[in-house]
Amino acid sequence: MKKRICSVIMAMFCMFAFTACNAETGSSESSDTVNNSSSTGNAGGNTVSSDENSSTPEKMPEKVTVAALNGPTGMGMVKLMDDDEKNDYGYDFILAGAADEITPRLIKGEIDIACVPANLAAVLYSKTSGEIQTLAVNTLGVLYIVENGNTVNSVADLKGKTVYSAGKGATPEYALNFILSSNGILSDVNIEWKSEHAECLAALEANPNAVAMLPQPFATTAMSKNENTRVAIDLNDAWDDLNLSSSLLTGVIIVRKGFAEEYPAAVNEFMSRYGESVKFVNENVTDAAQLVGKYEIVPAAVAEKAIPNCHIVCITGTEMKEKLSGYLQVLFDQLPASVGGAMPGDDFYYGA
């Protein structure tokens, strides 16, 4: 009896050992299959783990706050604004009437990306000890001298006139002063500064003898309201007549350096979408004008006439640096304070 019990116990032990052995073998085979499937076919049959192939997504902000002025800089963004409204890309757009509505919030970090006058970008770079970078030139010269009548046909004809203008302390002031000074009549022209371009339009309407310096699309708006109002001087031509090595610029896109360093992918994504928006505006004027009207920058009918004269661009990299640095050098030579007291360093030009 004892022998039978011992035999049964031995048989059960053998069965258990055999089952355990098979389980271990199966586990080993399964492990080899997983290892082989993780190989990417490298030379020599080396196994590459899946961790080495995976890439960590770049950090993105919850929201990107973008500011622009009511003018060509805002007009260049309208397609992007519309796309964001439809697809929720994650942008908060601010359209302001004057640059001083933007700069305090930019310095405080409440705005990430902004479209501002070209010289203001350099001033902010100096004021923040290099915490501002320029992403692109977004607007070439858009300034025009307009008048009710036909008394001004050259810069010399501005002598003794009162010129209404907005943009004191920014590109309009320095560009106009430089042109007047270069023509020897700066002290002979009375410039009355307004806080917004709309006030200059009101002055033109109220005074039949008024002369104003207006950017597009406000120059077109003035002419649409009064058939006697005309463009007397294109400041691009007046600038070129001085035979300088630079071009007249109006606006640039800037970014907070800290934001660009923390979210480079977000900056690149914005610039790609902004470039597409600029292309759409320039190539689809009628449709773009409807969007300009939708966002209440100017009426669509005015925008359609103005867009071809707004010189809306998106110039980045080396070309951006060449154009912007040349323009800033002209301003610096005239009045160092106009660019913040010193020319910006190379780190001012993002991606150049």
Side-chain angles (χ1 to χ4, degrees), residues 173-175 177-179 181 329-336 338:
E173 178 183 11
Y174 300 120
N177 283 353
F178 178 70
I179 289 172
S181 177
Q329 187 66 55
V330 170
L331 298 188
F332 176 78
D333 292 341
Q334 174 196 188
L335 181 64
S338 66

Side-chain angles (χ1 to χ4, degrees), residues 278-346:
V278 167
K279 183 178 180 181
F280 175 87
V281 169
N282 286 325
E283 295 181 355
N284 303 273
V285 174
T286 300
D287 292 339
Q290 294 301 313
L291 293 178
V292 172
K294 171 184 174 181
Y295 292 107
E296 300 182 347
I297 297 174
V298 291
V302 173
E304 187 165 359
K305 294 178 180 178
I307 287 173
N309 298 313
C310 283
H311 306 299
I312 299 169
V313 296
C314 184
I315 301 172
T316 60
T318 302
E319 185 181 359
M320 173 264 291
K321 181 179 180 181
E322 291 176 352
K323 286 185 177 296
L324 181 55
S325 61
Y327 173 70
L328 294 177
Q329 187 66 55
V330 170
L331 298 188
F332 176 78
D333 292 341
Q334 174 196 188
L335 181 64
S338 66
V339 298
M343 287 291 289
D346 289 342

Side-chain angles (χ1 to χ4, degrees), residues 109-138:
E110 297 173 358
I111 291 173
D112 305 309
I113 296 172
C115 302
V116 300
N119 79 292
L120 180 58
V123 171
L124 290 173
Y125 171 86
S126 176
K127 185 177 292 187
T128 61
S129 300
E131 289 303 310
I132 293 295
Q133 293 181 296
T134 299
L135 298 173
V137 170
N138 67 348

Side-chain angles (χ1 to χ4, degrees), residues 29-152:
E29 289 174 352
S30 175
S31 176
D32 289 343
T33 301
V34 171
N35 285 337
N36 288 336
S37 67
S38 69
S39 172
T40 58
N42 288 350
N46 294 332
T47 299
V48 180
S49 68
S50 58
D51 288 341
E52 290 175 345
N53 279 333
S54 64
S55 59
T56 304
E58 292 219 39
K59 184 179 180 182
M60 298 291 281
E62 291 184 8
K63 284 285 183 180
V64 181
T65 303
V66 182
L69 299 177
N70 277 317
T73 58
M75 292 166 70
M77 284 201 308
V78 290
K79 183 61 166 62
L80 174 54
M81 294 167 67
D82 187 57
D83 288 344
D84 175 70
E85 188 177 317
K86 294 174 179 176
N87 302 294
D88 191 19
Y89 291 147
Y91 298 115
D92 280 337
F93 290 101
I94 299 169
L95 289 174
D100 58 10
E101 297 176 38
I102 295 174
T103 52
R105 297 184 62 184
L106 183 71
I107 293 173
K108 291 178 183 178
E110 297 173 358
I111 291 173
D112 305 309
I113 296 172
C115 302
V116 300
N119 79 292
L120 180 58
V123 171
L124 290 173
Y125 171 86
S126 176
K127 185 177 292 187
T128 61
S129 300
E131 289 303 310
I132 293 295
Q133 293 181 296
T134 299
L135 298 173
V137 170
N138 67 348
T139 319
L140 302 179
V142 295
L143 295 170
Y144 298 85
I145 300 294
V146 299
E147 71 160 339
N148 295 325
N150 191 29
T151 64
V152 177

